[in-house]
Amino acid sequence: MSKLAQKVVLVTGGSRGIGAAITKRLAADGASVAFTYAKDASAASAVVKAIELNGGKAIAIQADATDVEAVEAAIEKTFATFGRLDVLVNNAGTAIPKPFEDTTLEEMDRVIDINIRGVFAATKAALKRLSDGGRIIMIGSAVGERAIAPGLVPYAATKAAVRMFTQALSRELGSRGITVNNVQPGPIDTDLNPASGDWAVPQKAATALGRYGRPEEIAAMVAFIASPEASYITGANLTVDGGMNA
Ligand code: NDP
């Protein structure tokens, strides 16, 4: 029996990078998966096709994480399509790497809107539909715990907020058997943080394993947290960073 058979999952930002790997992995584990994306409809439909080819069920929904009504509608569409909601993965996020003194207020607002306001809004809307015994899984960041390089000040601050949001929310949802956890990736090779180029060199060097991670290595942790085996883990920050924060 598949670990997530009969379960329904919504992943925000599931068309590329870490979110796409999570979407594919949870579908492979037997869940019906809905995911949102902001702009790239062709990347989203490629993820749906890949899952369907593998015998899984998936739908893609255009919903910018900064648009609360669109996110609420995505949750309702997931519920209407699959009849329930068991797992929310708050993955959509962004960074605008540059020195803090050069960062504009508009750029800070953008990072805050997606990385923290969007996470609050999606979680609040999902809670109306989430089954008792469900899972809320954040994709925070290892830099939410330890600032390993300059250039990520607003980003690191939002990811630290995600960490404390996770811990505080776990205290409110335990009575429903809902667990709330935060997976904190280190450097993972995606469009947001490619493993090649100048910016990658210090990040790679900062890890104990001397390499970037793959999106599938984050999806593996998310799959475990989503599974019945992780039933006693809540309020936890689970760092998957090749030893960067060791
Ligand atoms: P990518 O930029 O590679 O992919 C982002 C995904 O999110 C895409 O599917 C994109 O869809 C979607 N997305 C972007 N903006 C929005 C938005 N406003 N609303 C809804 N969807 C959106 O990012 P990663 O896969 O690298 O990052 C995913 C998460 O992991 C983020 O929260 C990030 O902070 C975190 N993380 C990443 C690390 C890394 O090294 N890569 C390290 C630590 C944490 P579309 O193409 O349509 O815009």
Side-chain angles (χ1 to χ4, degrees):
M1 183 88 160
S2 303
K3 277 191 287 189
L4 296 180
Q6 321 295 333
K7 301 290 185 195
V8 176
V9 175
L10 175 65
V11 179
T12 65
S15 57
R16 291 185 291 113
I18 293 170
I22 293 169
T23 300
K24 288 177 186 167
R25 171 63 196 263
L26 298 185
D29 283 358
S32 300
V33 185
F35 66 91
T36 64
Y37 64 97
K39 296 191 187 105
D40 191 343
S42 66
S45 79
V47 170
V48 171
K49 281 197 190 107
I51 289 171
E52 287 174 348
L53 272 175
N54 219 15
K57 282 193 205 140
I59 57 165
I61 306 165
Q62 200 274 329
D64 195 298
T66 63
D67 180 344
V68 175
E69 282 178 15
V71 170
E72 285 169 353
I75 285 155
E76 291 309 311
K77 183 164 183 192
T78 304
F79 193 82
T81 304
F82 296 123
R84 53 189 290 136
L85 179 64
D86 302 286
V87 181
L88 170 69
V89 183
N90 275 310
N91 165 77
T94 200
I96 306 177
K98 53 162 68 174
F100 184 65
E101 288 182 282
D102 299 338
T103 305
T104 66
L105 274 176
E106 288 73 23
E107 288 167 334
M108 291 182 210
D109 281 343
R110 173 96 186 134
V111 173
I112 290 166
D113 271 1
I114 299 177
N115 291 8
I116 188 69
R117 188 174 180 275
V119 170
F120 284 176
T123 304
K124 195 167 158 55
L127 276 170
K128 290 188 197 137
R129 295 297 195 183
L130 201 69
S131 309
D132 288 356
R135 304 272 192 268
I136 298 172
I137 303 169
M138 322 292 174
I139 305 300
S141 171
V143 304
E145 216 160 63
R146 190 154 174 259
I148 58 112
L152 289 171
V153 175
Y155 178 77
T158 59
K159 294 299 189 177
V162 166
R163 178 161 56 84
M164 211 55 227
F165 175 55
T166 300
Q167 292 174 228
L169 188 64
S170 71
R171 295 281 181 190
E172 296 196 9
L173 300 181
S175 57
R176 287 178 59 188
I178 295 171
T179 68
V180 190
N181 291 291
N182 177 30
V183 175
Q184 303 190 124
I188 306 299
D189 187 14
T190 65
D191 297 339
L192 185 67
N193 187 8
S196 54
D198 292 349
W199 174 240
V201 176
Q203 294 187 71
K204 206 161 85 173
T207 68
L209 294 176
R211 67 168 177 88
Y212 263 50
R214 290 175 285 108
E216 292 74 21
E217 293 177 305
I218 302 305
M221 174 62 92
V222 172
F224 173 64
I225 294 298
S227 78
E229 287 168 297
S231 50
Y232 200 55
I233 302 174
T234 194
N237 300 294
L238 302 145
T239 302
V240 183
D241 69 347
M244 189 176 77
N245 283 4

